[in-house]
Amino acid sequence: MLVRLILGLLITVAGLAFAARRAAWLAKLIRSGQPDEKRSDVMAVRAKTHLAEVFGQRKLLKWSVPGLAHLFTFWGFVILGSVYVEAYGALFDHDFHIPLIGHWAVLGFLQDFIAVAVLVSLAVFAVIRIRQAPERKERASRFFGSHTGGAWLILFMIFNVIWTMFLFRGASAAVGVFPYESGAWVSLGVGELLEPLGTSVTEPLETVGLLLHIGVMLAFLSIVLYSKHLHIFLAPVNVTAKRLPDALGPLLPMESGGKPIDFEDPGEDDTFGRGKIEDFTWKGMLDFATCTECGRCQSQCPAWNTGKPLSPKLLIMDLRDHLFEKAPYILDGKEAPEERPLVGTKEDFGVIDPDVLWSCTTCGACVEQCPVDIEHVDHVVDMRRYQVMIESAFPSELGVLFKNLETKGNPWGQNNSDRLAWTKDLGFEVPIFDGELADDVEYVYWVGCAGAFDDNARKTVRATAELLHLAGVKYTILGTDESCTGDPARRSGNEFLFQMLAQQTVETLNAVFEGREPGTRKIVTTCPHCLNTLGREYPQLDGHYEVLHHTQLLNRLVRAGKLTPVKPVDAGPVTYHDPCYLGRHNKVYEPPRELVGATGATLSEMPRHADRSLCCGAGGARMWMEEQIGKRINLERVDEALGTDAETIVTGCPFCRVMLNDGLVQRQSEKRGENVTVRDVSQLLLESVRERDRTATEI
């Protein structure tokens, strides 16, 4: 008894000291990141998120089979902690049991049940890893680029925890010192198998099992702290520190040293974006260290799925490896002898290749799927900000975009006087803001640059305007007072240009809504990018408005009986494409689908839809950049739509409509989908609500 006590304590002290040294090093490294004061929300809200995502495994359960296996494994760690309490108690007292509950059969049953469930889960993980082996599936495997050897080692160590547990508990039962007389069905069964060996064998076997069980746990602890499986300890912290409600929708304002940058009078030491690894906040560094290399982000990334070099997983892994590589210099406060550029080509020994950085569409699929709440999009945009504003290193097409935005106030470079061209020949008068907002005007209709200047998008805004007119909704447009919200500038990294455009628009809107309470400052728009910027980013600039997407408002009008579909739409089978900035970024999934149903159309979903919808390829200012690597993303999405045999592809975003239409035109030139059209939800609804004997206005 004394020998095993001494041995048990010695390996524990040694194991914990080794682990504590690494844990202290990691904590110091992460704390070295830049301040981030935005993570101090109400703890009750963060506790709720923590419970749902950590203990409820909410995100992992979106992937049903591996999610369930991970749920059992996680709860195995939690529940089997009680077995280690019993194990350490047994070092001191052969007859130890947990006070109050130590003889409770239910606890014994739960311990054995979860251990068996973990074993089954290990088998599931093994099958998944064999079927998804990168050696066979290459880029199609979500484990491509991951450290698969380390993953197998972890599975092996978990297996060792389970079998040593049953050896220790079974031998304890055979010796007669097991706390449970019933309930612990596997342990008692092992005890019955061992009992015929006699106490001369089972007593030393119980000591060996106990020390092995403790030793495996301590070895496992150190392996975790020195491997990608850091997430076992860091994931709960990262989930608790996440952006609320999630890291999608608004981008974070630029800060330096934890304080917002004053773009009118920036400080001399202000850092614009992230130009080196130590420029990231502590949350960014925590993100890098937390990555599980599971590849769920990679499997959903439109860039990776079309042959681009960007993998959100590999990007985070590269940043993590660079952070650890540079850690000795960061912690010592010294400059590295040879500073690698954070963004640069292989020839320049860059950490992140420019083609990786600029392939991102900011669609948010990576953030949506990440089980540990890594904020990939924020990091991509922060690096873009440095490249644009400090290095002036960006795709040449963006130079044209920036010039158009700065001089013309729109990405197309069109004259502002053309913003009202879409209102011609509608058959009714579109109300234009005349300097004072009438009391009965409920909405400002934000047309947006696409709606004003793109021919296809004009069809959408015309249809929406006519529907609002038919429903008797009082609205007004700003006409030539409109300008770009700044979305493409911000997502391409030109934060200075965004600030200029956004402040101008906030001043305009605040003047329009002057005297109105916040709850009556309502805007409706057909563009999800405008929706997101006006409603969720302008509060950063003191612009507070209630912003609706046109599908949301139209759906309310249909439900209220103000718009009544009177005939089934002539569209054939329909498939709906979820715009990223309407769906994932703003969680609007049902209103467009309800409207499609209201028109009498038959909806056929694409395999990737709702929160797993594939991007059209236009986001992140990619709309204005050439796509020269791999397959065009819009072609991939059009191919998926054509696979549903739909005759109409419906969407609710002008950018998506352009991209899908361009892809469809190319496929039709190849004799595919020749009877297919791309339309906005509003066009289908308008066709359905018009009276049978009414001559349709051409839209």
Side-chain angles (χ1 to χ4, degrees), residues 55-73:
F55 290 93
Q57 302 280 284
R58 183 182 64 187
K59 280 197 169 184
L60 279 160
L61 287 174
K62 291 180 178 180
W63 300 61
S64 53
V65 173
L68 196 60
H70 200 281
L71 176 74
F72 282 126
T73 305

Side-chain angles (χ1 to χ4, degrees), residues 573-576 602-606 641 643-646:
V574 167
T575 191
Y576 174 69
T602 301
L603 179 64
S604 178
E605 296 281 14
M606 286 182 263
T644 66
D645 294 325

Side-chain angles (χ1 to χ4, degrees), residues 550-573:
H550 70 297
T551 58
Q552 293 175 291
L553 178 55
L554 294 177
N555 195 46
R556 292 181 185 180
L557 295 173
V558 170
R559 286 184 170 190
K562 294 183 179 180
L563 288 173
T564 305
V566 295
K567 62 176 180 179
V569 69
D570 182 19

